[in-house]
Amino acid sequence: MRRAFEPAGPLRGRATPPPDKSISHRAALFGAMSDEPVHIGNYLRAADTMSTLDAIRSLGAGVEEEDGTVLVRGVGLRTAAPTTGGFLDVGNAGTLLRILPGWLAGQPGGVWRLDGDESIRRRPVDRVVEPLRRMGAAVDARDGRLPPLVVHGAELTGIDYRLPVASAQVKSCVLIAGLLAEGATAVTEPEQSRDHTERMLVRARVPFERDGLRLRVSPVDELELDDILVPGDPSSGAFLAAAACVIPGSRVVLEGIALNWTRTGFFRIAQRMGAVIVGELEEPAAGSATDEPIGELDIAAAPLEATTVEPGEVPLAIDELPLVALLGCFAEGQTVVRGAEELRLKESDRIAGVVEGLRGLGADIDATEDGFAVRGAGGLEGGSLDARGDHRMAMLGAVAGLASRNGVEVEGVEAAAVSYPDFEDALVELIG
Ligand code: S3P
């Protein structure tokens, strides 16, 4: 579907981003692994996280949807039921594809085949195949690295694993497999990535230790999880925030947004570029250090200056880096993103998509081996941008259109529904 996004005046008002995608996936999976029912408040109802509810249903969990809350009746940690033919459709959800095998690998006798859409078939899974094999599971992938992914559950043994790339999905997969393994399992990341799984493990009363970037988990018989409330998604909110940063006169307040520091890298980068962003923390519900911090962000447009995003910042802003390129088009000087080669492996090749997409709208931008460099040229002319089936590229095109001089036609705008079904309505509301 093609949609034109015309230049718009300032964005003003308050908006609540949709529920967090990463936390929703984990809440559903942890709920399915629990013995007692778990209520998940503010669960994301978008294509990706509906795939997770379907997957846990196929594995034997009960899922009841009651106004705004999802009730998951889990099957317990050690009893995932083989589905008919063992087939699990993950749709477009890379997080489901890479985290769920950690649980399945520890179910001796079970066999599952995970597959999804055209985009998922290009997402590498060797990063989970390798550690799960080392733990004792038989795991196969097409050409050793692509879905479909076939997991044969087995008795697992704990490992001491160093992740080759910072990935919260792989880290989560190995930690969850560690719950079912004989002995302790340690995971060390090269850089800090989002820590939602770690917080949830602690909340589920799992013996868990952290020493810098090294994490260690011990096996348990069951998870003891209280109800979960999912905060607003900072990655989705970032698209509204970016529009507010580049459209002069804008002032937008994002309410109920997750302020976990492992997710807010984009806001720190935008602030460093000159955007005015002020955060306020809400009183945490239970006041525990493992609860997800939640609050509001007040964002106002201001003249922007170029910046360099260094490799250590990349995992903390990974899904928002296309927006750094957009801000770079409106900033004074050259904005560079380094150490972000992982962007080539997302729902689409986001280095190629961002560079070709924004260049087509008038940007002075080049791809580099591990990111991109963009020279601010007073904004964007406009034109058309192909979302390439990628939700974040569709939303990037829409925001570029509002901020451009002549508007942008976005091809494949419907992809936004993967994470933010009400995205266009939220923009319309802020335009007023
Ligand atoms: C996610 C981790 C990141 C991120 C993705 C969601 C998660 O992927 O890009 O959108 O929920 O764990 P990687 O683990 O591949 O870095």
Side-chain angles (χ1 to χ4, degrees), residues 101-292:
W103 184 30
L104 302 179
Q107 313 295 322
V111 184
W112 295 270
R113 183 165 158 273
L114 286 77
D115 202 357
D117 67 10
E118 206 187 304
S119 147
I120 214 79
R121 287 193 155 208
R122 294 193 301 265
R123 312 285 303 272
V125 286
D126 41 344
R127 49 188 66 196
V128 298
V129 170
E130 208 225 309
L132 293 178
R133 277 188 186 158
R134 281 207 213 173
M135 295 179 86
V139 189
D140 300 307
R142 181 165 49 97
D143 300 331
R145 61 181 298 268
L146 297 168
L149 179 70
V150 180
V151 182
H152 297 254
E155 303 284 353
L156 303 180
T157 311
I159 54 170
D160 194 336
Y161 191 65
R162 186 169 280 275
L163 261 63
V165 287
S167 162
Q169 294 171 352
V170 181
K171 167 175 71 175
S172 303
C173 174
V174 180
L175 289 173
I176 289 172
L179 298 178
L180 294 150
E182 170 90 32
T185 295
V187 179
T188 307
E189 296 195 87
E191 313 277 358
Q192 175 74 50
S193 66
R194 65 193 66 189
D195 67 356
H196 308 304
T197 299
E198 295 91 302
R199 288 174 192 253
M200 230 171 254
L201 286 169
V202 176
R203 293 191 62 191
R205 294 34 160 210
V206 167
F208 176 79
E209 289 161 36
R210 169 191 287 282
D211 179 8
L213 293 173
R214 183 177 155 91
L215 311 169
R216 194 163 171 277
V217 75
S218 298
V220 285
D221 288 328
E222 58 178 22
L223 303 180
E224 290 172 54
L225 208 56
D226 301 326
D227 293 344
I228 298 169
L229 180 64
V230 181
D233 195 324
S235 301
S236 300
F239 287 86
L240 306 180
C245 289
V246 295
I247 300 176
S250 296
R251 172 97 187 260
V252 167
V253 177
L254 298 177
E255 299 175 318
I257 189 168
L259 293 179
N260 177 327
W261 75 276
T262 64
R263 293 293 301 285
T264 47
F266 168 72
F267 299 100
R268 290 189 285 278
I269 295 164
Q271 209 169 33
R272 188 161 88 217
M273 294 178 82
V276 180
I277 304 184
V278 179
E280 198 176 316
L281 201 60
E282 272 170 32
E283 211 44 61
S288 134
T290 57
D291 282 342
E292 294 286 348

Side-chain angles (χ1 to χ4, degrees), residues 22 26 95 98 127 166-169 194 318-319 346:
S22 290
R26 287 161 173 79
T95 303
R98 299 208 185 100
R127 49 188 66 196
S167 162
Q169 294 171 352
R194 65 193 66 189
I318 184 74
D319 294 333
K346 295 296 174 189

Side-chain angles (χ1 to χ4, degrees), residues 21-30 43 48-49 52 93 95-96:
K21 183 156 85 68
S22 290
I23 299 174
S24 294
H25 281 304
R26 287 161 173 79
L29 292 174
F30 273 71
Y43 188 85
D48 254 23
T49 45
T52 299
T95 303
L96 177 60

Side-chain angles (χ1 to χ4, degrees), residues 88-110:
L88 293 166
D89 184 0
V90 303
N92 189 249
T95 303
L96 177 60
L97 171 71
R98 299 208 185 100
I99 296 186
L100 179 57
W103 184 30
L104 302 179
Q107 313 295 322

